[in-house]
Amino acid sequence: MSGLLAVEEAQARLLALRRPLGSENVIFSQSLGRYLSQDILAQRDQPSADLSAMDGYAIRGADLPGPWAVTGEIAAGGVPSQRVGAGEAMRIFTGAMLPEGADTIVIQEDAIIGGTHLRLAAADAIRPGQHVRSRASDFPAGARLVAAGTRVTPGVIAAAIMSGAAQVTAGTRPRVAILTTGDELVQPGHALAPGQIPDSNGTMLAAMLGIEPANVSLPLHIRDDRLMISRVLKDLARRHDVIVTVGGASVGDHDHVRGALEDAGGSVDFWKIAMRPGKPLLAGRIGDTILLGLPGNPSSAFVTATLFLLPLVRHLAGARAPLPEVRRAPLAAALGPGGKRRDYLRARLEGGLLSVFDGQDSGRTLPLAEANALAIRDIAAPARTVGEQADYIAIA
């Protein structure tokens, strides 16, 4: 417990505290952002027949370069009532089924019509097989379209609907409680007495969780009172899968979260991470409920939430890959060497270059408003010059 854990080890231990929650059937209108708990398998061929990709005329490719006699018309949604024979064409519209015998579309722009006869504007305007969407060219029946653990996006919804599904099966949304601590904190918008500051962390974390598949309770605030914190933790544990505390996780005389967790019948799994900001991060359990204790400085809370809270919620909700993606970009300015802890530096990616901000004090909030990335500098990393590649995590 006295040593500092590596970030990767702490993330693995946190996710191992509890398996993903159960699953439920979810209608499409409520599925966005959820994680699939079952593969989406195609129940049908898409398309289910050869279709025209353009407005034009359906012909036999073998009859090129024409001319043809136009013998009928087919609209999207209709079923052709006759076949196309040698030297024949049928007027057809985008999405309509090709009539039997046809395998090529002469698009409207390449067609010259004289009465009921069709000829090409240019002899080499098309080739056999052009402008046709072949049956099952998108996907065949039985194919696995989307794997379990994938986040539901608008594109996933479209594919699932086209597959023939009426709903998806997704992981249950974890219930998350946010509890901020500190005698100095005042709720947003309230008047401040000397020594007091607005409580930004609770609302910030609720906003971060707002795009995740979680049921988030309104943030609570409590004074630095170990007995009161213990009672609140015990009560919240009965109704939530995750409790996030903010502040009170360090070693000061008014840092009561660890003691209150133990008083509530819980236990600490790990404490203190080899990272900056965010060293005092704490994780434990009260029964099946996971407690994640974040440090109180806004940047520290934001960084640890990005690396630990959001992955935990995604894991419980069934994500296959819950951890943030690490990317690379060239530096816009030189970056000094790393120290004894891994740094997560507020930065901005713009024009393909990563600019690390000068001010990295964890109490500052303006860099969070300006940042769209966290640049990563490993322990004892060598100094980097302009243009060298650096790892980063994209943030909202």
Side-chain angles (χ1 to χ4, degrees), residues 66-335:
W68 301 266
V70 180
T71 61
E73 181 177 291
I74 313 156
V79 178
S81 59
Q82 63 190 74
R83 64 175 286 117
V84 168
E88 295 179 338
M90 291 188 69
R91 181 77 167 112
I92 196 167
F93 298 91
T94 303
M97 292 176 59
L98 264 66
E100 186 179 349
D103 59 11
T104 303
I105 303 297
V106 177
I107 63 173
Q108 215 163 261
E109 295 84 344
D110 292 331
I112 296 177
I113 297 295
T116 59
H117 287 82
L118 162 71
R119 61 186 178 86
L120 296 179
D124 59 350
I126 63 167
R127 300 183 305 277
Q130 271 196 302
H131 308 304
V132 173
R133 295 174 183 154
S134 301
R135 177 172 184 161
S137 57
D138 193 358
F139 52 78
R144 185 177 79 164
L145 306 184
V146 189
T150 300
R151 189 182 182 97
V152 176
T153 64
V156 168
I157 291 173
I161 292 173
M162 294 301 283
S163 78
Q167 58 190 6
V168 296
T169 304
T172 302
R173 296 189 295 175
R175 300 162 298 169
V176 182
I178 301 171
L179 177 64
T180 62
T181 67
D183 293 343
E184 76 281 12
L185 299 179
V186 175
Q187 292 307 292
H190 288 224
L192 300 176
Q196 293 183 325
I197 59 173
D199 181 4
S200 64
N201 284 328
T203 305
M204 177 185 71
L205 293 175
M208 293 177 75
L209 289 166
I211 60 173
E212 300 296 336
N215 287 319
V216 183
S217 300
L218 289 175
L220 298 174
H221 175 257
I222 195 167
R223 293 176 59 85
D224 288 323
D225 183 309
R226 176 167 169 169
L227 178 59
M228 189 179 298
I229 295 173
S230 176
R231 289 174 176 170
V232 171
L233 291 180
K234 188 178 291 188
D235 178 62
L236 292 175
R238 297 189 186 102
R239 297 178 281 113
H240 296 86
D241 302 297
V242 178
I243 302 171
V244 189
T245 63
V246 192
S250 192
V251 294
D253 292 341
H254 300 282
D255 292 316
H256 298 306
V257 169
R258 180 177 178 181
L261 169 64
E262 294 169 343
D263 294 346
S267 59
V268 175
D269 185 85
F270 62 84
W271 182 36
K272 297 184 180 179
I273 314 299
M275 63 182 290
R276 183 172 54 188
K279 173 186 171 184
L281 182 88
L282 177 149
R285 294 203 310 180
I286 304 175
D288 287 334
T289 300
I290 298 173
L291 181 137
L292 186 62
L294 308 184
N297 279 323
S299 290
S300 300
F302 183 92
V303 170
T304 50
T306 299
L307 295 172
F308 293 93
L309 174 58
L310 301 188
L312 173 62
V313 167
R314 295 168 191 151
H315 164 72
L316 294 176
R320 184 175 69 252
L323 297 177
E325 179 186 359
V326 177
R327 305 173 184 175
R328 304 208 87 195
L331 289 166
L335 184 63

Side-chain angles (χ1 to χ4, degrees), residues 337-355:
K340 295 181 179 180
R341 289 182 275 159
R342 179 183 291 172
D343 291 311
Y344 291 89
L345 307 167
R346 273 70 72 208
R348 184 161 190 84
L349 183 71
E350 200 163 32
L353 296 175
L354 188 65
S355 299

